[in-house]
Amino acid sequence: MAKQNEPLVTHIYTADPSAHVFEGKLYIYPSHDLEHDGEDNDNGDQYKMEDYHILSMDDVDAPCVDHGEALHMKDVPWVSGQMWAPDAAFKNDTYYLYFPARDKDGIFRLGVATSKRPEGPFVPQESHILGSFSIDPAVLVDDDGQAYIYFGGLWGGQLEKWQTNSYVNDFVEPAADAPAIGPRVAQLSDDMLSLKEIPLEIQILDEDGKPITAGDEDRRYFEGPWMHKYNGKYYLSYSTGTTHMLVYAVGDSPKGPFTYKGKILDPVIGWTTHHSIVEFKGKWYLFYHDSSMSGGVNHKRCVKFRELQYDAEGNIIPMKPYED
Ligand code: FUB
């Protein structure tokens, strides 16, 4: 039986859970961490994932089911390795799996695969999504049917190389007092397979309307964007990377700007922290991961969930991962 704050599955290592309610059930789209003794570095070489397994739960206290391999990199013609954090969406009577991976030149791009079932198997497109780059796609299908894809991650995720919307290998992060690099957003085409526009860099502002700076590592964007709506507002949540927190910012439009609001979750065991937020049967849940199942090995992670609450003003009540 699934239990809050416990690994959802223990037979494989899982990370980066993107949770959705499809067909009245919770479906979780995680990365699948592989066991190895390779190098652990800032480039993320330890995250050697090759495939995706989709999980589902009929309810929050029901068993968590692993539906088996839904997509493997050997079936994706443009991929050379590292199939990282995925997300899924439903539109046009079709399920879409969005995923990042290195192309044959070692550059991270975003791909998409389709299925008639939420658990797959998924059939990939021949090429990556044209105009896409970096990692960690998250898709919002808004109430009017328009879909938006959010993405980007620093360091191993290469986002700092794309400051001019083309790849420049020499680029590094901006100076500490300059605006931080923002995640990107683009509208998806109606068939969900391509971008309708050149990705826009999202602005995350402080309470005075000034951009959060690159040196403000407690608040600046690092990776793992997620978008959800609550009471008509758009909540952009993300990982701060080097300071290992999940935080959020709120805006009036899917493309922002967003105003920084606060912390969601304190650091977990392990370097990365990555999440999603979903409403299910009238309650809200945070899906996240840590490295507790492997005693702290960064690339052997496990996905977990816990209830998330808002105060009367719509602020998310911050949580500590190892306290109820
Ligand atoms: O799982 C590989 C990478 O680690 C993800 O893409 C990042 O968000 C971080 O969780």
Side-chain angles (χ1 to χ4, degrees), residues 103-176:
D103 68 12
K104 305 286 186 200
D105 296 321
I107 295 177
F108 270 107
R109 304 284 186 175
L110 307 181
V112 57
T114 58
S115 177
K116 286 293 169 196
R117 297 288 316 148
E119 71 274 17
F122 284 88
V123 177
Q125 297 289 295
E126 285 287 306
S127 308
H128 69 263
I129 301 174
L130 206 64
S132 73
F133 51 87
S134 197
I135 59 167
D136 292 357
V139 172
L140 170 79
V141 181
D142 210 346
D143 303 330
D144 61 2
Q146 176 61 57
Y148 299 84
I149 186 163
Y150 300 83
F151 61 93
L154 297 174
W155 296 12
Q158 305 174 335
L159 183 59
E160 66 275 21
K161 315 283 185 202
W162 289 92
Q163 292 179 53
T164 53
N165 262 351
S166 62
Y167 184 87
V168 181
N169 195 41
D170 294 339
F171 275 7
V172 293
E173 282 176 86

Side-chain angles (χ1 to χ4, degrees), residues 7-269:
L8 278 183
V9 291
T10 54
H11 64 293
I12 53 172
Y13 289 109
T14 54
D16 309 323
S18 292
H20 292 274
V21 178
F22 292 138
E23 301 182 348
K25 291 201 239 180
L26 274 167
Y27 278 87
I28 302 114
Y29 297 81
S31 305
H32 175 197
D33 280 341
L34 290 186
E35 293 197 58
H36 65 86
D37 299 322
E39 195 192 349
D40 190 309
N41 57 33
D42 286 349
N43 197 37
D45 293 341
Q46 61 276 25
Y47 302 114
K48 292 185 190 291
M49 298 83 110
E50 294 182 353
D51 67 354
Y52 297 111
H53 283 230
I54 312 301
L55 311 176
S56 75
M57 296 192 288
D58 286 352
D59 212 331
V60 289
D61 55 3
C64 184
V65 176
D66 174 359
H67 294 275
E69 190 176 277
L71 180 67
H72 192 280
M73 63 178 253
K74 68 175 165 31
D75 298 317
V76 191
W78 61 270
V79 164
S80 67
Q82 292 192 298
M83 291 180 48
W84 284 7
D87 190 22
F90 178 68
K91 197 176 156 171
N92 309 324
D93 288 325
T94 304
Y95 293 91
Y96 298 88
L97 181 72
Y98 296 90
F99 57 95
R102 284 185 192 267
D103 68 12
K104 305 286 186 200
D105 296 321
I107 295 177
F108 270 107
R109 304 284 186 175
L110 307 181
V112 57
T114 58
S115 177
K116 286 293 169 196
R117 297 288 316 148
E119 71 274 17
F122 284 88
V123 177
Q125 297 289 295
E126 285 287 306
S127 308
H128 69 263
I129 301 174
L130 206 64
S132 73
F133 51 87
S134 197
I135 59 167
D136 292 357
V139 172
L140 170 79
V141 181
D142 210 346
D143 303 330
D144 61 2
Q146 176 61 57
Y148 299 84
I149 186 163
Y150 300 83
F151 61 93
L154 297 174
W155 296 12
Q158 305 174 335
L159 183 59
E160 66 275 21
K161 315 283 185 202
W162 289 92
Q163 292 179 53
T164 53
N165 262 351
S166 62
Y167 184 87
V168 181
N169 195 41
D170 294 339
F171 275 7
V172 293
E173 282 176 86
D177 58 353
I181 294 172
R184 301 299 206 272
V185 59
Q187 291 189 16
L188 283 166
S189 56
D190 294 340
D191 68 4
M192 302 288 275
L193 301 176
S194 61
L195 307 184
K196 258 190 194 170
E197 56 191 355
I198 293 171
L200 173 85
E201 183 171 358
I202 289 176
Q203 279 193 302
I204 303 174
L205 309 173
D206 67 12
E207 58 284 4
D208 299 322
K210 299 204 182 85
I212 300 281
T213 57
D216 186 351
E217 295 185 29
D218 280 346
R219 300 192 294 177
R220 68 97 169 75
Y221 178 81
F222 190 91
E223 64 184 2
W226 187 256
M227 176 58 63
H228 76 279
K229 284 177 88 174
Y230 181 74
N231 285 347
K233 298 271 190 198
Y234 294 83
Y235 284 60
L236 170 70
S237 43
Y238 55 92
S239 160
T240 61
T242 49
T243 50
H244 316 290
M245 286 177 301
L246 295 175
V247 300
Y248 73 107
V250 175
D252 292 319
S253 125
K255 293 183 180 176
F258 298 92
T259 303
Y260 179 86
K261 287 291 179 188
K263 241 195 264 185
I264 300 174
L265 191 70
D266 274 350
V268 293
I269 295 168

